[in-house]
mmCIF file of all heavy atoms in Angstrom:
data_model
loop_
_atom_site.group_PDB
_atom_site.id
_atom_site.type_symbol
_atom_site.label_atom_id
_atom_site.label_comp_id
_atom_site.label_asym_id
_atom_site.label_seq_id
_atom_site.Cartn_x
_atom_site.Cartn_y
_atom_site.Cartn_z
ATOM 1 N N GLY A 1002 -44.929 6.720 76.956
ATOM 2 C CA GLY A 1002 -45.680 5.666 77.623
ATOM 3 C C GLY A 1002 -47.093 5.556 77.095
ATOM 4 O O GLY A 1002 -47.534 6.346 76.256
ATOM 5 N N THR A 1003 -47.810 4.564 77.574
ATOM 6 C CA THR A 1003 -49.201 4.356 77.176
ATOM 7 C C THR A 1003 -50.041 4.088 78.403
ATOM 8 O O THR A 1003 -49.549 3.648 79.445
ATOM 9 C CB THR A 1003 -49.347 3.153 76.227
ATOM 10 O OG1 THR A 1003 -48.918 1.965 76.899
ATOM 11 C CG2 THR A 1003 -48.531 3.344 74.963
ATOM 12 N N THR A 1004 -51.312 4.375 78.285
ATOM 13 C CA THR A 1004 -52.292 3.989 79.288
ATOM 14 C C THR A 1004 -53.617 3.760 78.579
ATOM 15 O O THR A 1004 -53.796 4.159 77.428
ATOM 16 C CB THR A 1004 -52.441 5.071 80.384
ATOM 17 O OG1 THR A 1004 -53.255 4.566 81.445
ATOM 18 C CG2 THR A 1004 -53.099 6.331 79.824
ATOM 19 N N GLY A 1005 -54.513 3.104 79.236
ATOM 20 C CA GLY A 1005 -55.807 2.824 78.618
ATOM 21 C C GLY A 1005 -56.768 2.271 79.635
ATOM 22 O O GLY A 1005 -56.387 1.996 80.779
ATOM 23 N N GLY A 1006 -57.995 2.111 79.233
ATOM 24 C CA GLY A 1006 -58.995 1.596 80.148
ATOM 25 C C GLY A 1006 -60.226 1.112 79.425
ATOM 26 O O GLY A 1006 -60.377 1.299 78.219
ATOM 27 N N ILE A 1007 -61.092 0.462 80.179
ATOM 28 C CA ILE A 1007 -62.324 -0.100 79.651
ATOM 29 C C ILE A 1007 -63.497 0.775 80.073
ATOM 30 O O ILE A 1007 -63.623 1.128 81.244
ATOM 31 C CB ILE A 1007 -62.532 -1.532 80.172
ATOM 32 C CG1 ILE A 1007 -61.370 -2.436 79.716
ATOM 33 C CG2 ILE A 1007 -63.864 -2.105 79.687
ATOM 34 C CD1 ILE A 1007 -61.403 -3.809 80.334
ATOM 35 N N VAL A 1008 -64.333 1.122 79.124
ATOM 36 C CA VAL A 1008 -65.579 1.823 79.401
ATOM 37 C C VAL A 1008 -66.712 0.891 79.003
ATOM 38 O O VAL A 1008 -66.843 0.523 77.837
ATOM 39 C CB VAL A 1008 -65.667 3.154 78.628
ATOM 40 C CG1 VAL A 1008 -67.021 3.817 78.863
ATOM 41 C CG2 VAL A 1008 -64.541 4.091 79.044
ATOM 42 N N ASP A 1009 -67.516 0.485 79.968
ATOM 43 C CA ASP A 1009 -68.621 -0.454 79.746
ATOM 44 C C ASP A 1009 -69.909 0.357 79.686
ATOM 45 O O ASP A 1009 -70.332 0.946 80.684
ATOM 46 C CB ASP A 1009 -68.654 -1.467 80.900
ATOM 47 C CG ASP A 1009 -69.687 -2.569 80.683
ATOM 48 O OD1 ASP A 1009 -70.454 -2.472 79.707
ATOM 49 O OD2 ASP A 1009 -69.741 -3.505 81.493
ATOM 50 N N VAL A 1010 -70.530 0.404 78.509
ATOM 51 C CA VAL A 1010 -71.747 1.196 78.301
ATOM 52 C C VAL A 1010 -72.898 0.254 78.043
ATOM 53 O O VAL A 1010 -72.801 -0.657 77.223
ATOM 54 C CB VAL A 1010 -71.573 2.172 77.122
ATOM 55 C CG1 VAL A 1010 -72.870 2.938 76.870
ATOM 56 C CG2 VAL A 1010 -70.436 3.139 77.401
ATOM 57 N N ARG A 1011 -74.006 0.455 78.741
ATOM 58 C CA ARG A 1011 -75.162 -0.429 78.574
ATOM 59 C C ARG A 1011 -76.460 0.374 78.661
ATOM 60 O O ARG A 1011 -76.476 1.513 79.117
ATOM 61 C CB ARG A 1011 -75.130 -1.544 79.611
ATOM 62 C CG ARG A 1011 -74.993 -1.085 81.042
ATOM 63 C CD ARG A 1011 -74.776 -2.277 81.970
ATOM 64 N NE ARG A 1011 -73.478 -2.910 81.748
ATOM 65 C CZ ARG A 1011 -73.292 -4.225 81.727
ATOM 66 N NH1 ARG A 1011 -74.312 -5.042 81.881
ATOM 67 N NH2 ARG A 1011 -72.088 -4.727 81.559
ATOM 68 N N THR A 1012 -77.537 -0.252 78.193
ATOM 69 C CA THR A 1012 -78.839 0.407 78.211
ATOM 70 C C THR A 1012 -79.949 -0.631 78.225
ATOM 71 O O THR A 1012 -79.758 -1.763 77.776
ATOM 72 C CB THR A 1012 -79.015 1.318 76.974
ATOM 73 O OG1 THR A 1012 -80.292 1.955 77.030
ATOM 74 C CG2 THR A 1012 -78.936 0.519 75.693
ATOM 75 N N LEU A 1013 -81.095 -0.237 78.742
ATOM 76 C CA LEU A 1013 -82.300 -1.054 78.672
ATOM 77 C C LEU A 1013 -83.318 -0.481 77.698
ATOM 78 O O LEU A 1013 -84.153 -1.211 77.173
ATOM 79 C CB LEU A 1013 -82.939 -1.190 80.062
ATOM 80 C CG LEU A 1013 -82.196 -2.066 81.074
ATOM 81 C CD1 LEU A 1013 -82.896 -2.004 82.429
ATOM 82 C CD2 LEU A 1013 -82.113 -3.504 80.589
ATOM 83 N N GLY A 1014 -83.255 0.839 77.457
ATOM 84 C CA GLY A 1014 -84.291 1.426 76.616
ATOM 85 C C GLY A 1014 -83.849 2.565 75.735
ATOM 86 O O GLY A 1014 -84.678 3.270 75.158
ATOM 87 N N CYS A 1015 -82.533 2.781 75.597
ATOM 88 C CA CYS A 1015 -82.036 3.948 74.859
ATOM 89 C C CYS A 1015 -81.433 3.510 73.523
ATOM 90 O O CYS A 1015 -80.535 2.672 73.494
ATOM 91 C CB CYS A 1015 -80.980 4.672 75.698
ATOM 92 S SG CYS A 1015 -80.096 5.979 74.829
#
Side-chain angles (χ1 to χ4, degrees):
T1003 62
T1004 189
I1007 299 172
V1008 176
D1009 186 353
V1010 177
R1011 53 188 68 222
T1012 181
L1013 289 175
C1015 171

